[in-house]
PDB file of all heavy atoms in Angstrom:
ATOM      1  N   THR A 137      15.758  -1.205   8.389  1.00  0.00           N
ATOM      2  CA  THR A 137      17.049  -1.801   8.904  1.00  0.00           C
ATOM      3  C   THR A 137      18.055  -0.684   9.456  1.00  0.00           C
ATOM      4  O   THR A 137      18.583  -0.881  10.537  1.00  0.00           O
ATOM      5  CB  THR A 137      17.800  -2.685   7.812  1.00  0.00           C
ATOM      6  OG1 THR A 137      16.918  -3.707   7.406  1.00  0.00           O
ATOM      7  CG2 THR A 137      19.080  -3.191   8.405  1.00  0.00           C
ATOM      8  N   PHE A 138      18.104   0.374   8.683  1.00  0.00           N
ATOM      9  CA  PHE A 138      18.950   1.489   9.185  1.00  0.00           C
ATOM     10  C   PHE A 138      18.415   2.140  10.424  1.00  0.00           C
ATOM     11  O   PHE A 138      19.112   2.620  11.222  1.00  0.00           O
ATOM     12  CB  PHE A 138      19.048   2.568   8.043  1.00  0.00           C
ATOM     13  CG  PHE A 138      20.251   2.307   7.142  1.00  0.00           C
ATOM     14  CD1 PHE A 138      20.689   1.049   6.923  1.00  0.00           C
ATOM     15  CD2 PHE A 138      20.961   3.385   6.510  1.00  0.00           C
ATOM     16  CE1 PHE A 138      21.802   0.764   6.137  1.00  0.00           C
ATOM     17  CE2 PHE A 138      21.988   3.108   5.765  1.00  0.00           C
ATOM     18  CZ  PHE A 138      22.417   1.905   5.423  1.00  0.00           C
ATOM     19  N   GLN A 139      17.058   2.233  10.520  1.00  0.00           N
ATOM     20  CA  GLN A 139      16.356   2.714  11.758  1.00  0.00           C
ATOM     21  C   GLN A 139      16.794   1.791  12.935  1.00  0.00           C
ATOM     22  O   GLN A 139      17.138   2.266  14.036  1.00  0.00           O
ATOM     23  CB  GLN A 139      14.965   2.877  11.669  1.00  0.00           C
ATOM     24  CG  GLN A 139      14.484   3.989  10.744  1.00  0.00           C
ATOM     25  CD  GLN A 139      13.182   4.445  11.042  1.00  0.00           C
ATOM     26  OE1 GLN A 139      12.697   5.483  10.440  1.00  0.00           O
ATOM     27  NE2 GLN A 139      12.398   3.944  11.904  1.00  0.00           N
ATOM     28  N   ALA A 140      16.700   0.433  12.742  1.00  0.00           N
ATOM     29  CA  ALA A 140      16.965  -0.456  13.763  1.00  0.00           C
ATOM     30  C   ALA A 140      18.506  -0.285  14.167  1.00  0.00           C
ATOM     31  O   ALA A 140      18.856  -0.417  15.355  1.00  0.00           O
ATOM     32  CB  ALA A 140      16.627  -1.902  13.312  1.00  0.00           C
ATOM     33  N   LEU A 141      19.347  -0.236  13.297  1.00  0.00           N
ATOM     34  CA  LEU A 141      20.795  -0.063  13.488  1.00  0.00           C
ATOM     35  C   LEU A 141      21.011   1.125  14.402  1.00  0.00           C
ATOM     36  O   LEU A 141      21.945   1.056  15.264  1.00  0.00           O
ATOM     37  CB  LEU A 141      21.523  -0.140  12.163  1.00  0.00           C
ATOM     38  CG  LEU A 141      21.758  -1.431  11.331  1.00  0.00           C
ATOM     39  CD1 LEU A 141      22.338  -1.228  10.050  1.00  0.00           C
ATOM     40  CD2 LEU A 141      22.517  -2.366  12.259  1.00  0.00           C
ATOM     41  N   SER A 142      20.443   2.296  13.911  1.00  0.00           N
ATOM     42  CA  SER A 142      20.656   3.405  14.752  1.00  0.00           C
ATOM     43  C   SER A 142      20.231   3.411  16.162  1.00  0.00           C
ATOM     44  O   SER A 142      21.000   3.788  17.101  1.00  0.00           O
ATOM     45  CB  SER A 142      19.964   4.640  13.953  1.00  0.00           C
ATOM     46  OG  SER A 142      18.573   4.634  14.210  1.00  0.00           O
ATOM     47  N   TYR A 143      19.141   2.577  16.409  1.00  0.00           N
ATOM     48  CA  TYR A 143      18.659   2.328  17.701  1.00  0.00           C
ATOM     49  C   TYR A 143      19.713   1.520  18.591  1.00  0.00           C
ATOM     50  O   TYR A 143      20.125   2.079  19.750  1.00  0.00           O
ATOM     51  CB  TYR A 143      17.371   1.558  17.691  1.00  0.00           C
ATOM     52  CG  TYR A 143      16.935   1.159  19.141  1.00  0.00           C
ATOM     53  CD1 TYR A 143      16.491   1.954  20.112  1.00  0.00           C
ATOM     54  CD2 TYR A 143      17.000  -0.298  19.460  1.00  0.00           C
ATOM     55  CE1 TYR A 143      16.118   1.434  21.380  1.00  0.00           C
ATOM     56  CE2 TYR A 143      16.587  -0.768  20.612  1.00  0.00           C
ATOM     57  CZ  TYR A 143      16.229   0.055  21.700  1.00  0.00           C
ATOM     58  OH  TYR A 143      15.896  -0.412  22.761  1.00  0.00           O
ATOM     59  N   VAL A 144      20.170   0.492  18.122  1.00  0.00           N
ATOM     60  CA  VAL A 144      21.048  -0.289  19.008  1.00  0.00           C
ATOM     61  C   VAL A 144      22.486   0.440  19.092  1.00  0.00           C
ATOM     62  O   VAL A 144      23.061   0.339  20.089  1.00  0.00           O
ATOM     63  CB  VAL A 144      21.318  -1.756  18.283  1.00  0.00           C
ATOM     64  CG1 VAL A 144      20.006  -2.619  18.359  1.00  0.00           C
ATOM     65  CG2 VAL A 144      21.744  -1.663  16.880  1.00  0.00           C
ATOM     66  N   VAL A 145      22.852   1.127  18.078  1.00  0.00           N
ATOM     67  CA  VAL A 145      24.218   1.826  18.221  1.00  0.00           C
ATOM     68  C   VAL A 145      24.013   2.954  19.257  1.00  0.00           C
ATOM     69  O   VAL A 145      24.849   3.167  20.009  1.00  0.00           O
ATOM     70  CB  VAL A 145      24.618   2.358  16.773  1.00  0.00           C
ATOM     71  CG1 VAL A 145      25.788   3.321  16.972  1.00  0.00           C
ATOM     72  CG2 VAL A 145      24.998   1.231  15.860  1.00  0.00           C
TER      73      VAL A 145
END
Side-chain angles (χ1 to χ4, degrees):
T137 299
F138 270 31
Q139 288 203 176
L141 287 173
S142 72
Y143 167 69
V144 293
V145 172

